[in-house]
Amino acid sequence: MLIKRPADIRSSEITDKKLYLNRREFIRAAGVTGVAAAAGAIGAEALVEAKGAAHGRKLANIKKSPLSVSNEKINSWEDITSYNNYYEFGTDKDGPEQYARDFKTQPWKVSIEGECAKKGVMDLEDVLKGETLEERVYRHRCVEAWSMVIPWAGFPLSNLIKRCEPTSKAKYIEFTTAYDQRQMIGVRVPVLNWPYKEGLRMDEAMHPLTILVAGLYDEVLPNQDGAPLRLAVPWKYGFKHIKSIVKVKFVEKQPLNTWQEQASNEYGFYANVNPSVDHPRWSQATERRIGEFFRRKTLLFNGYGDQVASLYAGMDLRKNY
Ligand code: MTE
């Protein structure tokens, strides 16, 4: 994944959310017509839009989550949306902001496949139906040893899984990203074996920290961050956080994820953040938090060990990297 490391990383200060709305301005889900429709509303309860977004389209009624990290500086909207990995839109960090701008995320369909009772193709609106988006402020640690703190707006992946009614054979889930040569300039070049794929073990996928993300701060997720739907698994390296998901497949065997397929000696299936297991070409002991000058120590499981270490009890984390 590391093709190059730009020398000049912009530092920036924490940006407060600039615009908060009067509650009366919120548009209730039941009445998603009028203003919301005119604004190109996505139309699901979870994505009720309100006026007044600072950057894109504003979401309403986002619930705070006790699973957020506290006392850490949240990165600014600008940091989170201008320094991205999304090879479908180029391999430079600033490429996705530029090239994903016009990527069409409406209408959007997600195919549910494999070992489950409720197979089929779902509209994004149905995936989000009945969900309340929660603000989850998560540490985000890329395997390239940079990190950010990001206020995602999402809902537990476990909610969707339960609705799909997996069979007893469903031991893992495989996710697939959209592939569109016309809209994604990056896939015209064979830098990866497209489409991008990722996987989780079922207990990882069901963990309350694992979310499907549809928003950033309190706005609709910008394209460069994986709109309209991406994964966030905060104790794992960033490459597990697959973007623009079009397929969710329940499988019996451990799936092969894109980066593991690309270089299995460098990228494993588990990809749990681990300061004592170096990448063959660089150390994972420290990280550069975007916006900070000094490097900081990387924490085992990215600091989420109390919640997730038990998932890996008895496993050799050096072998299962
Ligand atoms: N998903 C897709 N489809 N394509 C990608 O290239 N890059 C991954 C992950 N998800 C990637 C992807 C990597 S390496 C990282 S670090 C994170 O997205 C970056 O997420 P961010 O750009 O929102 O910070």
Side-chain angles (χ1 to χ4, degrees), residues 226-238:
L229 201 65
R230 60 91 58 82
L231 190 69
V233 205
W235 70 95
K236 292 183 180 284
Y237 291 118

Side-chain angles (χ1 to χ4, degrees), residues 165-239:
E165 297 177 17
T167 69
S168 59
K169 282 187 174 170
K171 306 278 190 254
Y172 296 87
I173 305 190
E174 182 188 72
F175 303 88
T176 307
T177 289
Y179 172 81
D180 183 345
Q181 284 207 350
R182 207 170 37 83
Q183 295 194 76
M184 297 169 143
I185 56 146
V187 304
R188 296 176 200 160
V189 189
V191 281
L192 292 176
N193 190 12
W194 312 110
Y196 195 99
K197 287 190 178 171
E198 255 310 333
L200 292 174
R201 212 172 59 188
M202 194 56 105
D203 56 348
E204 299 176 320
M206 290 296 289
H207 194 280
L209 283 173
T210 305
I211 54 170
L212 284 171
V213 173
L216 171 64
Y217 276 103
D218 46 9
E219 300 191 24
V220 171
L221 191 65
N223 287 350
Q224 59 268 42
D225 286 281
L229 201 65
R230 60 91 58 82
L231 190 69
V233 205
W235 70 95
K236 292 183 180 284
Y237 291 118
F239 67 89

